[in-house]
Amino acid sequence: MHELGIVFYIIRDVKEAAEAHHVEHVSGVVMNIGEVSTIVPEYLLDCWRWAADKEDMLRGCELKINTIPAVTRCDGCGRDYETVPHGKICPYCNSPNTWLLHGNEVEIKEIEVKDNI
Amino acid sequence: MFIMDEIRVIEIKKSIFADNDKDADALRQELKQKGVYLLNLMSAPGSGKTTTLIQTINRLKDKIRIAVMEADIDSDVDAVKIQEATGIPSIQLHTGGMCHLDAEMTRQGLDNIALGEADLVILENVGNLVCPAEFDTGAVRNAMILSVPEGDDKPLKYPLMFSVCDTVIVNKTDVLPYFDFDLEKCKAYVHMRNPRARVIPICAKTGEGVDVFADWLLQEVKQWKQS
């Protein structure tokens, strides 16, 4: 259910971008999805197929997921570490003063268009 | 003549939350001008949102003008219950299967409320701890209710929800003796996600602690209208 809602936002933004570039059909959409973005890639792909095929501009369009690893920075010791195995507490100095550097992205990286030459 | 496909790549690099964030900021500005305070109340299903609201509204309705927007996937049981128990205007929003409200849906809901006649609008978001946290509704503050039976470790399981909330209400404190729920541990977990969050223990059923939340909300509304 969550992923379906996200798919509707992707479709809206892709259609908007395609129209701005005078594109009639989009053959691929590349998404940057962070490891800790709460998006389950398989669900996203399933929802995408169902919803995209209802749109003329996106029929058959492939959704590609580019996974962005989650990295947390520690303000205690200044080091970066992998978020998924360690969470909020820095594995080097045990400080809880940490923040996510990247890994919660849900962004459209690019769209692909097949041009007949 | 050959016909071949060449793939052209158009770079977009845009967060799908970008438009919503913009809409939410615009809505907040508009509410500021109109002197309306919007509170976004979130929680898991069954945490006691509606009962908490009824208790809170009954303590505030003689002091400020309040309206409620109930967001649910379907049904209007909550809106009817609120209106019957408090007598204040309550409208029901249906998300049509969506698991959250975004700023645009919130605006549409607000269009059904006479904003000139409200100081405080409370949005009871869809019962869900994942999706509503990702979408800024345009509210001045986010609050959430965590009920004792859900466990003191919930802030660890739903980090984003707890990091976007300014106030966490711990409800159903009357059943604390029957659960392994450690209030101090819970506060520590909440503060790991958001060091500035206030934690207010209440029991909506008996009314215990609700004054603390109601007073906080009243001060918030006054400040928002003055500043």
Side-chain angles (χ1 to χ4, degrees):
Chain A
M1 195 159 60
H2 174 51
E3 278 73 10
L4 183 58
I6 300 290
V7 158
F8 289 142
Y9 287 99
I10 301 174
I11 287 178
R12 183 198 58 190
D13 286 355
V14 167
K15 281 171 76 175
E16 220 176 80
E19 274 159 21
H21 287 87
H22 309 290
V23 167
E24 279 172 22
H25 186 264
V26 178
S27 62
V29 172
V30 184
M31 295 288 301
N32 282 337
I33 304 280
E35 251 184 329
V36 295
S37 65
T38 77
I39 305 279
V40 182
E42 298 81 60
Y43 295 171
L44 193 71
L45 292 173
D46 277 354
C47 292
W48 171 261
R49 191 70 283 134
W50 178 84
D53 285 348
K54 291 186 165 32
E55 304 281 341
D56 287 340
M57 188 190 270
L58 300 172
R59 195 156 292 126
C61 174
E62 190 190 348
L63 188 74
K64 300 167 189 174
I65 294 178
N66 185 21
T67 304
I68 309 287
V71 174
T72 297
R73 175 158 295 172
C74 173
D75 279 345
C77 66
R79 290 165 91 165
D80 296 344
Y81 64 90
E82 286 175 50
T83 311
V84 174
H86 302 293
K88 183 84 180 138
I89 307 288
C90 174
Y92 300 110
C93 73
N94 283 322
S95 168
N97 296 324
T98 60
W99 48 279
L100 192 69
L101 202 57
H102 50 79
N104 63 350
E105 297 78 4
V106 185
E107 63 180 25
I108 301 168
K109 182 172 182 276
E110 57 202 25
I111 60 175
E112 297 170 351
V113 181
K114 272 183 193 159
D115 291 323
N116 294 327
I117 328 170
Chain B
M1 184 180 102
F2 285 112
I3 295 182
M4 64 177 264
D5 285 340
E6 185 161 300
I7 293 179
R8 178 156 59 102
V9 172
I10 302 172
E11 187 169 316
I12 309 285
K13 199 105 174 77
K14 181 186 166 198
S15 163
I16 64 147
F17 303 118
D19 283 351
N20 185 61
D21 289 348
K22 227 187 285 161
D23 290 348
D25 282 338
L27 181 56
R28 244 186 312 275
Q29 283 299 317
E30 199 182 314
L31 290 171
K32 179 83 191 170
Q33 278 165 9
K34 291 181 174 158
V36 178
Y37 185 99
L38 178 65
L39 178 75
N40 176 26
L41 185 63
M42 299 176 280
S43 85
S47 65
K49 274 199 302 290
T50 308
T51 311
T52 304
L53 276 187
I54 290 170
Q55 287 271 10
T56 307
I57 291 164
N58 282 337
R59 280 165 172 76
L60 293 177
K61 66 182 178 189
D62 295 333
K63 297 173 184 153
I64 47 173
R65 299 163 303 168
I66 308 173
V68 170
M69 289 199 294
E70 291 286 333
D72 268 307
I73 287 170
D74 206 348
S75 99
D76 62 354
V77 288
D78 287 344
V80 171
K81 214 197 269 178
I82 297 252
Q83 200 142 8
E84 281 175 1
T86 65
I88 65 146
S90 170
I91 63 155
Q92 182 76 49
L93 300 176
H94 283 159
T95 60
M98 293 279 268
C99 46
H100 64 273
L101 274 191
D102 60 19
E104 181 53 36
M105 288 187 257
T106 306
R107 178 186 289 280
Q108 286 169 15
L110 288 169
D111 286 345
N112 294 300
I113 289 177
L115 286 180
E117 290 158 28
D119 303 308
L120 167 65
V121 177
I122 303 174
L123 167 63
E124 186 179 334
N125 214 316
V126 182
N128 177 339
L129 292 182
V130 182
C131 328
E134 289 173 335
F135 291 90
D136 189 344
T137 57
V140 182
R141 294 261 185 247
N142 294 319
M144 68 93 58
I145 305 179
L146 163 66
S147 66
V148 167
E150 295 169 50
D152 53 26
D153 55 358
K154 229 162 193 182
L156 302 180
K157 296 182 191 166
Y158 298 90
L160 186 61
M161 173 57 74
F162 287 86
S163 61
V164 302
C165 280
D166 306 283
T167 293
V168 176
I169 299 169
V170 176
N171 190 22
K172 307 188 187 179
T173 51
D174 54 334
V175 298
L176 269 173
Y178 308 102
F179 288 87
D180 295 327
F181 187 100
D182 185 330
L183 193 58
E184 290 312 310
K185 234 188 220 171
C186 178
K187 280 183 189 170
Y189 293 150
V190 169
H191 290 140
M192 268 168 69
R193 300 301 172 209
N194 180 2
R196 284 159 298 138
R198 70 185 64 224
V199 177
I200 306 177
I202 70 160
C203 175
K205 198 176 155 198
T206 63
E208 201 186 332
V210 177
D211 283 342
V212 180
F213 175 62
D215 287 347
W216 170 77
L217 195 50
L218 186 61
Q219 288 312 315
E220 280 280 309
V221 174
K222 282 183 179 165
Q223 266 175 25
W224 179 250
K225 288 179 90 79
Q226 277 165 10
S227 61

